[in-house]
Amino acid sequence: MYALDDTIVAISTPVGQGGIGIVRLSGPESLAILQGLFLADGRGPSRLASHRLYHGHIVDPATGRRADEVLAVYMRAPRTYTRQDVVEINCHGGVAALREVLGLCLAAGARPAHPGEFTLRAFLNGRIDLAQAEAVLDVINAETSASLRVAVEQLGGRLSGHVRDVRRRLVEALAHLEASIDFPEDEIPDRDVGADLAAAADALCELAREAERGILYRQGARVAIVGQPNVGKSSLLNALLRQDRAIVTPIPGTTRDTVEETISLRGVPVVLTDTAGLGDSDDAIERLGMERSRASLARADLVLLVVDGSRPPDEADRSVAADVAAAGRPAILVANKADLPAVDRHAAVLPSAPLARVSALTGAGIDALEERMLETILAGPATPGAEPLASNPRHRDLFRRALGHVEAAAAALAEGLEADLVAIDVSEAVTALGQVTGETAGEELLETIFSAYCIGK
């Protein structure tokens, strides 16, 4: 997988019917393979200038049969995605045409690309670092405009720049420590290693927080709508969706199973789960629905506890609130039916949760509820345009690991321990940060990361 001296080929667009499909090659024989298959406007294999698009046909050299009418481009290294010679053949988007052209490229000497191998070559050839390579997949998988912006910023090197700044400071501190170990009798220039470690710890704390927030942009959040029957849970779901998705009737217990739909809250994907009313029932189907409701409650990132704001809270409301409190999830108490005369006694149902008054019928208060939901999910005020630096769980874990080693090194330094003991933890922190950008990434890690990519990217 790490050989760079052969030529790889793959279909780089989704296989299926479409207007255009692209067959991509990368490697030293890319141009020769194209020239052996491509007739530019019927004039034969002419010399192809780099980064120019040519119209013509892919022809089977063994039979002279035309496989497809195409647009082909040759891109000379190093000004390419992989920093190798690259060819892209824009075919018609049918399955048969793409497979035919792919087969001819394979017969001409290319080999099938592994998943993510084009991006892997871009990394190995120094065009992008590992964090940027991972951002390529995030760009492809982005579901909202905000998650796309986070991925594009990471692809542009925003995260890598911050990581390299922290890592460089730790490397300089490590160099000072190792010099004092290796040359104890020489005069080593003074350096405040403690200040280096303190600054690195602050930066790593912030990076870990940013990554935790960014993961929500990348993976989304789960919100469970719970409450006793007939308080307006399904109506609230419909109001948040701005469409009638759940069946709403005056009959208690209409919703007997969970209903899930996804919305975007200022770029954060949010899965809303409308649950069956919690309480007691002799009906076996209702009891099963309640079990599923409690399962949704247990795995939610946020709970909307809905009560009827037009009547005083009762024992059933307090029972559901007890389930919410026991789950230990962040919650918002939603007093529905604000279009009716209000009863101001609901805050005591769940004192630890903020209270939002809404009318799922008229839409009053829904925008304010969404803002409160987003603030709670992101654990702070939602600021437009303030997308996080990182959004990858692997990066978050590495920031936490590096932070742990930095804090251990600072503690050892404060206790006056030997420099070599301090250096061990500083070195581990440097290694962890190197795994973010790829300086210290091993083959097993690379295979794990790039195996998640589609073939052709």
Side-chain angles (χ1 to χ4, degrees), residues 112-125:
H114 296 293
E117 191 169 4
F118 290 92
T119 304
L120 174 63
R121 290 190 173 197
F123 164 68
L124 294 175
N125 287 325

Side-chain angles (χ1 to χ4, degrees), residues 17-199:
Q17 292 183 335
I20 297 173
I22 297 175
V23 175
R24 173 193 275 177
L25 299 100
S26 178
E29 298 302 316
S30 298
L31 176 59
I33 290 172
L34 177 63
Q35 288 177 323
L37 302 175
F38 182 59
L39 289 179
D41 287 331
R43 295 193 298 269
S46 60
R47 297 184 62 179
L48 303 177
S50 179
H51 293 82
R52 288 191 62 183
L53 198 62
Y54 291 89
H55 173 263
H57 293 82
I58 295 296
V59 177
D60 185 344
T63 64
R65 179 181 56 85
R66 292 183 174 183
D68 194 14
E69 182 181 12
V70 303
L71 293 171
V73 58
Y74 158 63
M75 292 170 275
R76 183 183 299 114
R79 293 193 304 119
T80 70
Y81 182 66
T82 63
R83 282 193 173 168
Q84 296 181 309
D85 282 359
V86 168
V87 162
E88 290 185 356
I89 304 171
N90 294 261
C91 312
H92 289 91
V95 174
L98 286 167
R99 288 180 176 172
E100 183 81 7
V101 174
L102 177 66
L104 291 173
C105 292
L106 292 170
R111 70 159 174 83
H114 296 293
E117 191 169 4
F118 290 92
T119 304
L120 174 63
R121 290 190 173 197
F123 164 68
L124 294 175
N125 287 325
R127 182 183 175 274
I128 55 177
D129 63 31
L130 191 56
Q132 291 173 293
E134 290 174 282
V136 171
L137 189 58
D138 291 342
V139 170
I140 294 171
N141 293 335
E143 296 183 358
T144 68
S145 58
S147 59
L148 176 61
R149 288 195 298 271
V150 173
V152 169
E153 288 290 321
Q154 184 172 319
L155 180 59
R158 180 172 173 235
L159 171 64
S160 301
H162 283 76
V163 173
R164 287 198 178 93
D165 287 343
V166 180
R167 190 170 186 267
R168 181 169 54 251
R169 185 157 193 168
L170 290 175
V171 167
E172 292 171 355
L174 181 60
H176 177 81
L177 290 169
E178 291 180 341
S180 65
I181 296 167
D182 295 337
F183 310 102
E185 298 179 358
D186 294 347
E187 290 188 6
I188 306 298
D190 290 337
R191 184 179 184 91
D192 191 347
V193 174
D196 290 329
L197 297 178

Side-chain angles (χ1 to χ4, degrees), residues 212-270:
E212 194 70 58
R213 195 163 62 95
I215 288 169
L216 291 170
Y217 284 87
R218 187 174 191 252
Q219 299 180 349
R222 301 190 68 86
V223 174
I225 304 173
V226 303
Q228 66 163 304
N230 211 35
V231 293
K233 299 185 300 299
S234 297
S235 297
L236 179 60
L237 173 70
N238 291 340
L240 290 168
L241 292 174
R242 271 68 173 183
Q243 62 175 309
D244 291 336
R245 169 63 177 86
I247 297 174
V248 177
T249 75
I251 303 171
T254 301
T255 302
R256 291 188 161 201
D257 199 356
T258 56
V259 177
E260 291 193 347
E261 287 292 337
T262 301
I263 63 172
S264 173
L265 286 183
R266 197 157 324 142
V268 177
V270 172

